Amino acid sequence: MKFLVLSVLAVVPLVSAQLSGRVGPLTTREDKAAKKVCNILDYGGVASATTDNSAAITKAWDECKAGGQVLIPSGSYGLDKWVDLTGGKGVSINLEGIIYRISNATAGGTMISVQSTDDFEFYSGNSKGAVQGYGWEFHKENKYGPRILRLTKVTDFSVHDLALVDSPAFHLTMDTVSNGEVYNLVIHGGDRGGLDGVGFWGTNLHIHDVEVSNRDECVTVKSPARNILVESIFCNWSGGSAIGSLGANTSVTQVTYQNIYTQNSNQMLMIKSNGGSGSLDHSIFRNFTGHSNAYTLNLDAFWSLREADPGDGVEFDYLTFSNWAGTCLDGIRRPPIMLACSPVWLCGNLEIENFNVWTLNGSAVTYKCVNAYGQGACMNQSPGNGAYSSIKTVATMAAEKYAIQTMPGEITKGLGITTSIDIPAVPTTFYPGLKPLSGLMAKPTGA
């Protein structure tokens, strides 16, 4: 069903919020291609979903990694051995075809790994490029396999206009990266845990216009991270967005999440830790909308699914949550605001405002605060830290306060773990009422 958008939930196009400088490649894809094009078909590649193309991709990369474009043209390409692409500078990969994991391929590792590379772009010039991981072949046996894509120590980069489908494990991981942009990306994974959508840590990163369907994390910031902007995200039957899990020596600061739409997911946002040390601070979480989610806002410093880390707890300081609306499944059993902090370390200067999430079952919602200090909800307003517990009950809420506009393309059940998942088209919208910040590479029909 469709609802009217509340005026107080007007979207916030603050593209520069929290970023420390420019993001993306230093040179254009056109300049890279003008220097050199390395078509994998010229290096032994075969357009066949059952033929291994790992050697051809590696050879093309080696020829173009000092400057140029690796081209994987339209067609189907098998991958039986994984590719480790390292040491690039001024290089792009244009994936216009579809890469398929061959069923008897290596069980672990990462299908495509890019490391120690600068001025890099991984994209699809026709917006139809995809990697099909056939994860269901592992999941039906209750097993996991390789990740699809991992970037490690990559700087000044972008990843866009791609579909990552049915990974046997995580879909996109970015490790110690900087000055990067990820956008116009669709991820469809199986309906089970351990199949994260986008997980990353680094500095000065802009993640926007991304759709994720899975049963684990949607778009998640991990430590260490600084100057992060995440916006226009569609968690479409997912685990939901998260920070963490956070452990010893946590360092996460100046993060903004805004314009996040979540439906039928485990949570809208979970900040999770168990013990540990360090801090998450000076971060903003605004314009979260969605419906039918189990949890909504959940800050859990005693997250039981993680073994306790050394330390008395992560500090949480100067966190703002504003303009949230929609519905949860059961507002008594799983309060839409749950703040559970360590009594030892600071959990203060928190602010919750304009929070309007109602329950689909029952006639009231509760807010639960444990050792959390700040303004709004059930928090103790006194500064500092210390042990206390508070519950606030909201017995009524006007429908217009929690009314939202839904998204086209909402899936109504989790995607398969015993059958193959279809490759979706990259969407043209990721948050109600907003156009993507960048258009698709493929020109619209008739354009």
Side-chain angles (χ1 to χ4, degrees):
M1 56 184 170
K2 298 273 187 181
F3 300 97
L4 295 176
V5 179
L6 298 178
S7 60
V8 294
L9 293 176
V11 293
V12 184
L14 300 178
V15 175
S16 63
Q18 301 292 66
L19 296 177
S20 60
R22 61 164 305 282
V23 295
L26 299 174
T27 57
T28 68
R29 66 186 73 91
E30 292 82 6
D31 287 344
K32 292 179 175 72
K35 187 172 183 179
K36 191 173 187 179
V37 174
C38 300
N39 187 326
I40 68 165
L41 297 179
D42 297 329
Y43 296 89
V46 178
S48 165
T50 59
T51 300
D52 179 37
N53 281 270
S54 60
I57 294 172
T58 301
K59 290 177 181 177
W61 172 268
D62 288 342
E63 286 294 317
C64 262
K65 69 179 184 180
Q69 177 197 89
V70 175
L71 174 63
I72 306 174
S74 297
S76 299
Y77 302 89
L79 203 62
D80 182 60
K81 299 178 181 65
W82 308 153
V83 292
D84 292 317
L85 311 176
T86 63
K89 186 174 181 62
V91 58
S92 67
I93 300 175
N94 179 7
L95 173 59
E96 299 197 344
I98 300 173
I99 294 174
Y100 293 87
R101 184 186 65 81
I102 296 176
S103 60
N104 63 350
T106 306
T110 301
M111 292 176 62
I112 303 171
S113 175
V114 182
Q115 304 176 51
S116 302
T117 291
D118 181 48
D119 186 13
F120 171 68
E121 187 166 5
F122 190 179
Y123 72 103
S124 175
N126 60 8
S127 304
K128 296 180 180 179
V131 182
Q132 168 60 272
Y134 285 137
W136 69 276
E137 295 179 334
F138 290 92
H139 305 152
K140 68 179 180 179
E141 304 293 340
N142 198 29
K143 297 178 181 178
Y144 292 93
R147 304 175 184 90
I148 284 183
L149 177 61
R150 185 182 184 99
L151 274 59
T152 305
K153 296 182 179 178
V154 176
T155 59
D156 302 303
F157 69 93
S158 64
V159 177
H160 61 95
D161 286 76
L162 295 166
L164 305 180
V165 183
D166 198 12
S167 180
F170 301 165
H171 288 80
L172 172 59
T173 301
M174 295 181 288
D175 170 354
T176 318
V177 295
S178 62
N179 304 333
E181 184 176 17
V182 176
Y183 60 98
N184 291 347
L185 183 72
V186 59
I187 293 173
H188 278 192
D191 188 32
R192 70 179 304 201
L195 307 178
D196 297 11
V198 181
F200 63 96
W201 55 101
T203 59
N204 198 40
L205 304 170
H206 190 189
I207 316 299
H208 61 93
D209 301 302
V210 175
E211 177 186 327
V212 176
S213 299
N214 60 356
R215 184 44 64 185
D216 211 312
E217 295 173 353
C218 181
V219 176
T220 297
V221 175
K222 301 181 183 294
S223 177
R226 184 182 185 92
N227 298 114
I228 308 296
L229 175 57
V230 178
E231 60 180 334
S232 293
I233 305 299
F234 182 14
C235 302
N236 188 8
W237 199 291
S238 172
S241 296
I243 305 288
S245 53
L246 304 175
N249 303 311
T250 289
S251 178
V252 180
T253 186
Q254 299 182 60
V255 173
T256 291
Y257 273 70
Q258 63 186 20
N259 306 330
I260 313 297
Y261 184 87
T262 309
Q263 70 96 9
N264 275 291
S265 297
N266 187 63
Q267 77 266 346
M268 282 191 181
L269 177 69
M270 176 179 282
I271 300 172
K272 50 189 178 178
S273 64
N274 190 2
S277 59
S279 64
L280 162 64
D281 59 67
H282 293 90
S283 295
I284 298 167
F285 307 90
R286 60 186 166 208
N287 291 359
F288 278 66
T289 66
H291 67 86
S292 312
N293 299 298
Y295 295 92
T296 306
L297 170 56
N298 186 5
L299 191 163
D300 188 352
F302 308 96
W303 189 51
S304 61
L305 294 182
R306 181 183 177 97
E307 185 176 345
D309 289 289
D312 292 320
V314 175
E315 293 187 2
F316 301 102
D317 196 15
Y318 289 102
L319 307 181
T320 299
F321 309 89
S322 62
N323 296 347
W324 289 48
T327 58
C328 61
L329 292 176
D330 190 328
I332 298 296
R333 183 182 174 199
R334 296 187 179 101
I337 296 177
M338 295 180 65
L339 307 175
C341 299
S342 166
V344 178
W345 293 107
L346 175 67
C347 185
N349 299 302
L350 310 184
E351 183 175 357
I352 298 176
E353 59 181 1
N354 198 26
F355 189 98
N356 298 290
V357 175
W358 193 238
T359 182
L360 292 176
N361 296 287
S363 57
V365 301
T366 58
Y367 303 152
K368 184 176 181 179
C369 298
V370 178
N371 311 327
Y373 290 82
Q375 301 287 330
C378 49
M379 284 187 286
N380 188 328
Q381 296 185 18
S382 301
N385 61 288
Y388 84 91
S389 180
S390 174
I391 294 178
K392 177 180 179 180
T393 299
V394 178
T396 61
M397 186 178 294
E400 59 268 21
K401 284 193 172 183
Y402 63 86
I404 62 168
Q405 181 180 343
T406 56
M407 282 287 291
E410 293 190 13
I411 64 174
T412 57
K413 63 179 181 179
L415 300 177
I417 60 172
T418 60
T419 58
S420 182
I421 297 173
D422 292 337
I423 297 173
V426 179
T428 56
T429 181
F430 299 86
Y431 186 84
L434 272 185
K435 293 181 180 179
L437 294 179
S438 299
L440 294 180
M441 292 287 296
K443 300 298 183 184
T445 301

